[in-house]
Amino acid sequence: MASTPKNKSILLIITGSIAAYKCAELVRRLRETGTGVTCVMTTAAQEFITPMLMASLSQQEVYTDLWSLKDETEMGHIRLSREADFVLVAPASANTIAKLAHGRCDDLASTILMATDKPVIIAPAMNPMMWLNAATQDNIATLQRRGIDILTPAEGDMACGETGPGRMVEVVDILRHLETRFQFRDTLKGLRAIVTSGPTYEALDPVRFIGNFSSGKQGYAIATALVQAGAETTLISGPCHETPPAGVRITRVTSADEMLMATQEALPADIMICAAAVADWRPETVAPDKIKKGSGKPQITLVENKDILKTISTLTKKRPTLVIGFAAETNDIVAQARKKLLAKQCDWILANDVSPAQATFGGDFNTVHLLQSGKDGVRETSWPRLTKQEVATQLVKEIILTLKKK
Ligand code: CTP
């Protein structure tokens, strides 16, 4: 694994969970890569590991008390909340997550979380029933909406003897996430990006439409990664249930025509990513009233929707520097995607297998082949099966590398 960049600092808030023992390894690994770590521990955290251990490993004072006259005189909780590059809460207990979601600050950790102006990353750890409890899930959704990174806990055997989701992600996963956040920070600052996402619905009558199963998860994950890299991002979203990432400008549309119009209005941009599953056809006419049964089989004539990706790729003025599409295929994936890359004249295509066996549509994973057109032809790279977040991270890394070279 590549190391976390040097000369960076993290404020690590440790809360009450048995996973607190993993913080010793986390701090040691971060220090090895030259990252400064300052620890804050809640009272509950100190039931599992000691401030002495964390002070020895971090080589820094450990802060535990909001009302410590000495600490407040020398550092102050507000300064503490602002000095590091990121605030990491690991492990994050159900209680701390609830306090953060509801704006409660009754100890040093929760007060820092309210006062910080730095990105917050949380690694929850708790009993499976506590994690699945509707209150926790609502709180997590609230935090996600506010732009807090959630390192979703893994499934497995828990220290409490139960099995299920709730185990804090491994130290190596936390390190990898921090490394990406550090790498991304402000790399695309000053650039504008547009992402289309989700399905489109094409009306048949006032109550029916033709649509598809796209969940919007991949497009939303890409918009999140672009924002984290500092790009001014507009997300043009078809109807879906995803939570818009904090910091993006969101334009909600229903039909392919509306998506095209919204995209044209959002230009100019440096980066355009068409992740939407745009309906290829729409009914030629939309019945003004509900189509009723009893008058024979309805005859619906379909007309083709304009191709948004091709329209943007072939602009003579205002063409974004990098235009990227997806190719949703069920067979001959790479060969079909190559044809699309040429036909649509975009710069890159991410070919993905959307056959039912892969459960890509609506699911959390994606298997992608990246086709990049260049001076020497088309370069093909196959990525392993990744989560949609990982695909987004990987894609944004490629974008950063390419735009830096230009
Ligand atoms: N796309 C678009 N506008 C359309 C249709 C597709 O912008 N009207 C974009 C998609 O967002 C995607 C790419 O084109 O980036 C390929 O979409 P896909 O559904 O895989 O292919 P189609 O062009 O629709 O062709 P086909 O359905 O025949 O595979």
Side-chain angles (χ1 to χ4, degrees), residues 302-317:
L302 298 174
V303 290
E304 202 168 317
N305 280 324
K306 205 157 175 204
D307 194 303
I308 303 168
L309 176 59
K310 188 167 180 184
T311 306
I312 303 300
S313 294
T314 52
L315 285 174
T316 43
K317 286 184 197 162

